[in-house]
Amino acid sequence: MKHSFKKLSIALLSLGFVAFISSCSKDDPEPEVPQEEIGSATLTFTEVEWHGDHAHDLEDPEVVSVTFDEDGLPPVGAHLHLDAGKTYRLTLTATDFAGREGAEQEFLEESDIHQLFFLGAPEGVLDYQYADPDNKRVGVTGYLHVLKTSDSFVFNVILRHLNNGVKASITDADWNNPNYTKFSGENDLDLKVEVHVVDGDHDHDDH
């Protein structure tokens, strides 16, 4: 009788342990996919000579750039001028939380879950072509065609950290899609800076 009771006690303890483990497994939340920790980000607009479907570098190009801090904020009063009729190579570079350069390479290495969107310009003012290496189509490098002048607007660059499988539904035409949130995921970067598109004779120091 004592042996039967002992066996029963061990069996009940075992069942309780299994139930406890099962309960913990159900209650523990699934770990979230970590987002990149960015220390700073820089947008650089380098003038190029555009020939139909490709660019030539210029010896003395116009270069405009702006750097955003770890909170995604530009310097106080930042205001960029771009010239209508020109094409710029637009590049995104970034540092990590420790200030190390080259953080943008991770966006390219994980191109299947990263996508840049370029928002805010009035209709017909800008056009854009992705130009990342190996046709990865992220937006770390691309060509921004400035089609006509406009009043100042807030240029908003979004780096979307996509959920798995979402990238396949994004096309080149979505580069400025204001409904980018339909591509499920989270924003790694949300950069905003004032831009004014002027004609080529405009003095860039004249705001």
Side-chain angles (χ1 to χ4, degrees):
M1 183 69 178
K2 288 182 179 179
H3 289 297
S4 298
F5 180 78
K6 186 176 181 180
K7 289 180 180 178
L8 179 60
S9 298
I10 292 172
L12 289 173
L13 284 171
S14 298
L15 286 172
F17 181 75
V18 170
F20 174 77
I21 294 297
S22 176
S23 175
C24 286
S25 298
K26 290 179 180 178
D27 293 340
D28 289 343
E30 292 185 9
E32 295 183 1
V33 177
Q35 292 175 254
E36 285 69 25
E37 295 185 43
I38 304 300
S40 68
T42 299
L43 295 174
T44 302
F45 304 75
T46 303
E47 180 189 1
V48 297
E49 187 175 353
W50 189 253
H51 291 276
D53 60 356
H54 63 281
H56 289 171
D57 290 340
L58 297 174
E59 289 187 8
D60 186 23
E62 174 191 357
V63 179
V64 179
S65 66
V66 58
T67 296
F68 303 82
D69 64 19
E70 61 183 5
D71 295 318
L73 299 175
V76 175
H79 180 97
L80 308 182
H81 284 106
L82 300 178
D83 289 337
K86 290 185 178 181
T87 293
Y88 297 86
R89 181 184 295 111
L90 175 55
T91 58
L92 168 71
T93 54
T95 63
D96 65 13
F97 66 95
R100 293 171 295 206
E101 297 180 351
E104 72 279 358
Q105 291 304 313
E106 185 171 349
F107 311 147
L108 294 172
E109 291 167 3
E110 298 181 347
S111 60
D112 59 323
I113 56 171
H114 287 100
Q115 188 74 35
L116 278 153
F117 298 93
F118 304 91
L119 313 172
E123 185 176 356
V125 171
L126 302 177
D127 195 11
Y128 180 84
Q129 292 174 251
Y130 294 98
D132 300 292
D134 302 321
N135 198 31
K136 291 192 173 182
R137 197 166 51 80
V138 174
V140 169
T141 301
Y143 291 105
L144 189 71
H145 306 291
V146 185
L147 305 179
K148 64 181 182 181
T149 60
S150 78
D151 293 333
S152 295
F153 60 89
V154 176
F155 189 53
N156 185 195
V157 178
I158 299 289
L159 175 62
R160 194 80 168 151
H161 189 121
L162 304 166
N163 292 336
N164 289 331
V166 172
K167 179 93 174 202
S169 64
I170 300 176
T171 70
D172 288 355
D174 288 311
W175 68 272
N176 64 342
N177 191 334
N179 299 316
Y180 68 90
T181 54
K182 72 178 183 178
F183 304 118
S184 60
E186 299 291 338
N187 292 346
D188 278 337
L189 291 173
D190 186 348
L191 311 175
K192 295 178 181 178
V193 64
E194 186 176 3
V195 169
H196 186 195
V197 178
V198 299
D199 62 44
D201 296 327
H202 184 90
D203 182 354
H204 286 201
D205 293 328
D206 179 12
H207 289 210

